[in-house]
Amino acid sequence: MQIQIRPAQPANAQVIAEMVGELLHEIMAAVGSAVFVFDPAETEARVRSWLADRPYKVFLAFNNDRAAGFLALYESYALYAGGVFGTIPELYVKPAYRSQGVGTDLVTVAKRYARSRRWTRLEVTTPPLPHFERTLAFYQRHGFSISGGRKMRVELL
């Protein structure tokens, strides 16, 4: 298997939206709750717009011309982080490509990109534990450490 990692373009919005849907459905199935609302058309339009405007960076993993996974990044700002840093809101590898180095390749490219942007760090929130202990272990193997707290939200719209 020959995996290539490429920066996504607005024309890749549909394939990214499809994988976002797969990711969200996988999380909801594991936790047994509809914690996300997913609209494929809205997601595709949002990805296309964000990629065109550049606040959202996506790296796509391909096996030949077949999408195998993706990692998304955006720039964040916080005083506690010592300046500008990156956040990984989504990382997904299709089940057929897991445990074959695709996720590692995506994280490696994300770290390289983060260094080129002079970000102080990368942060990621794992899906709910204990359902996704393997995901937590994956990030820890790649140098991420638990920084405490829980991800929380309040719906505004």
Side-chain angles (χ1 to χ4, degrees):
M1 179 174 60
Q2 184 73 296
I3 296 295
Q4 294 181 336
I5 308 295
R6 299 187 286 232
Q9 303 300 318
N12 301 122
Q14 181 179 358
V15 72
I16 295 167
E18 288 169 3
M19 287 190 285
V20 168
E22 293 169 18
L23 169 64
L24 298 181
H25 286 97
E26 184 175 330
I27 293 170
M28 290 187 291
V31 301
S33 179
V35 293
F36 301 106
V37 175
F38 176 70
D39 181 304
E42 285 182 11
T43 301
E44 182 179 341
R46 193 172 298 121
V47 170
R48 183 172 282 108
S49 171
W50 290 353
L51 287 173
D53 293 341
R54 303 283 185 227
Y56 186 74
K57 182 75 172 180
V58 176
F59 292 101
L60 284 166
F62 288 95
N63 179 24
N64 296 317
D65 285 332
R66 299 179 68 100
F70 79 101
L71 181 145
L73 292 163
Y74 63 86
E75 193 166 272
S76 302
Y77 305 84
L79 298 173
Y80 75 83
V84 181
F85 67 100
T87 299
I88 300 172
E90 293 106 6
L91 168 58
Y92 178 72
V93 176
K94 290 180 175 248
Y97 296 99
R98 292 182 185 164
S99 298
Q100 297 181 47
V102 176
T104 295
D105 290 349
L106 286 165
V107 169
T108 298
V109 168
K111 287 178 179 179
R112 188 177 311 125
Y113 179 79
R115 286 183 190 102
S116 78
R117 305 280 302 164
R118 304 191 52 78
W119 291 345
T120 60
R121 65 170 73 184
L122 278 177
E123 293 187 355
V124 63
T125 302
T126 63
L129 300 172
H131 307 291
F132 290 90
E133 289 285 349
R134 287 186 64 210
T135 303
L136 175 64
F138 168 84
Y139 285 118
Q140 289 175 318
R141 281 193 312 275
H142 291 86
F144 290 81
S145 60
I146 297 172
S147 58
R150 286 194 166 279
K151 182 177 180 178
M152 299 177 75
R153 71 177 185 203
V154 61
E155 299 293 336
L156 300 175
L157 298 176

